């Protein structure tokens, strides 16, 4: 019996397994993931800010496929793909071979080699880092009552991409409650966002981006654009000599693919591999790379598509269809992607959105917040089943 091995149970991996399991194949499907749970990365900023608990955004992987007899789940960490031997090396058990591999190991925080980031910045890339960032934030704010160190109430969020902006929205939403609970004066809180580029939310039109910036500014966020961070100290962020003092520094300046990609000898850039039209690795007809470890050219602008949950799910469908085709001796299909738009939340009750679904919609305020919840629910359904969707927050 052929073995299809899927590594990484994020959006890409979960969706690929769901599709393959539904295809009634005479093949074994093995899913390897380092945690027993799937987490919705699209809501990690909420756990980091403390507006959601990990249980609100996670579900059990084995449970999700409990009724699929040909799916086996292995909880272990992938350390390397041995491409010539056609096997995947694991941290705690023997290597596992494959006939077809779907590599969907996802993303890690990008430091760009900037001094002090690893030691002093708090990234938001998985449940553990989100929880660590939350604990540091809460401990530091609580400490002010005895320390009276104004830096304990200063927070710098690095970069102004989607992760930063969505985190800021949750943070300023929760701040009044934390001030009451931890006994610090809210008027002494300073939240700054330091961005290298000249614009905030440049991917939205001026109207939507301007609305989002004003919304956050009204809640106290101070934005600094054209300010590249060059060093992160224990209690300040530095941009070419200018210091932004803070005892909480959230590091959200972007991501790269899993380090396993470079460790496995792929032809990669920032641990992303530009894949062939049908999502296979050039020269490796048995391997599909999807999600944040892959790069797909956008014929519209000649650049790679941004890495999103949306494209990961679409790639998973294409990779699964192609594996089914190969097993049947049929030709593979090309990956074609049409983005449905973008939603950026600004806390639980507001957001901005540019959606291409039955027409084009620009949304601001609570309608965009509803759209974000709808998209998250739909994603859970696409990965598992309606029961898990209804149980998720
Ligand atoms: P991931 O979701 O990163 O999943 C990878 C999986 O592999 C994880 O389960 C991980 O535990 C596992 N894994 C990693 N390494 C190993 C290993 N060595 N061995 C075994 N298992 C391993 N995109 C959108 O489209 N819409 C949004 O609203 C949105 N919001 C976001 C909000 C935040 C805060 C962040 C950080 C990202 C957001 N994104 C959003 C981007 C989106 O989350 C990613 O593009 C998406 O998660 C990529 O999916 P993936 O399946 O490739 O990888
Ligand atoms: P990003 O790359 O989109 O944004 C990082 C930001 O940090 C950029 O604006 C960049 O200019 C800035 N930056 C980089 N180096 C810097 C430095 N030294 N000093 C100051 N600023 C610096 O990263 P992200 O926000 O983590 O998003 C990662 C991926 O996930 C993207 O593809 C994004 O589209 C996706 N995502 C989507 C959503 C959503 O759709 N709502 C939410 C979060 C993330």
């Amino acid at each position: 019996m052929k073995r299809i091995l899927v590594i990484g149970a994020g959006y890409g991996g979960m969706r690929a397994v769901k599709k393959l399991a539904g295809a009634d194949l005479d093949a074994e499907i093995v899913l390897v993931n380092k945690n027993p749970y799937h987490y919705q990365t699209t809501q990690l900023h909420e756990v980091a800010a403390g507006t959601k608990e990990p249980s609100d955004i996670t579900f059990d992987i084995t449970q999700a496929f409990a009724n699929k007899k040909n799916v086996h789940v292995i909880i272990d960490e992938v350390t390397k793909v041995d491409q010539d031997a056609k096997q995947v090396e694991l941290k705690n058990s023997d290597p596992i071979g494959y006939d077809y591999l779907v590599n969907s190991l996802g993303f890690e925080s990008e430091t760009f080699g900037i001094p002090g980031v690893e030691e002093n910045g708090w990234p938001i890339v998985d449940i553990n880092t989100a929880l660590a960032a939350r604990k540091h934030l809460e401990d530091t704010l609580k400490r002010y009552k005895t320390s009276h160190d104004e830096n304990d109430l200063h927070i710098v969020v690095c970069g102004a991409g989607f992760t930063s902006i969505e985190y800021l929205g949750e943070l300023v939403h929760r701040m009044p409650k934390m001030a009451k609970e931890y006994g610090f004066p809210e008027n002494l809180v300073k939240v700054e966002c330091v961005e290298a580029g000249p614009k905030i939310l440049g991917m939205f039109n001026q109207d939507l981006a301007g609305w989002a910036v004003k919304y956050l500014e009204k809640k106290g966020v101070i934005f600094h654009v054209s300010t590249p961070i060059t060093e992160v100290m224990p209690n300040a962020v530095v941009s070419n000599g200018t210091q932004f003092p803070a005892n909480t520094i959230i590091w959200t300046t972007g991501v790269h693919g899993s380090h396993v990609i470079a460790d496995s000898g792929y032809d990669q850039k920032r641990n992303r591999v530009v894949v062939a039209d049908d999502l296979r690795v050039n020269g490796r007809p048995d391997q599909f790379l999807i999600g944040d470890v892959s790069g797909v050219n956008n014929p519209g602008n000649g650049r790679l598509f941004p890495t999103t949950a949306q494209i990961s799910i679409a790639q998973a469908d294409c990779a699964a269809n192609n594996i089914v085709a190969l097993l049947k001796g049929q030709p593979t299909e090309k990956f074609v992607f049409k983005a449905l738009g973008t939603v950026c939340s600004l806390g639980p009750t507001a957001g901005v959105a540019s959606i291409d679904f039955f027409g084009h919609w620009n949304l601001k305020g609570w309608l965009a917040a509803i759209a974000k919840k709808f998209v998250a629910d739909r994603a859970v359904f696409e990965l598992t089943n309606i029961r898990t969707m209804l149980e998720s927050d």
Side-chain angles (χ1 to χ4, degrees), residues 42 45 112 114 158-164 166 194-197 199 203 227-230 251-255 270 292 306-309 341-345 372:
T42 57
H45 54 284
F112 299 107
I114 295 171
C158 305
F162 279 121
T163 303
S164 315
E166 293 198 316
V194 181
E195 163 61 42
K199 278 186 180 171
M203 58 300 281
T227 310
I229 295 163
T230 48
W251 188 256
T252 41
T253 60
V255 297
R270 291 176 65 192
D292 280 25
T307 53
T308 61
T342 307
V343 189
C344 178
S345 65
K372 177 95 187 177

Side-chain angles (χ1 to χ4, degrees), residues 228-249:
I229 295 163
T230 48
E231 187 183 348
V232 179
M233 303 199 313
N235 47 18
V237 159
V238 185
S239 173
N240 296 320
T242 306
Q243 288 198 8
F244 299 90
N247 282 346
T248 299
I249 296 163

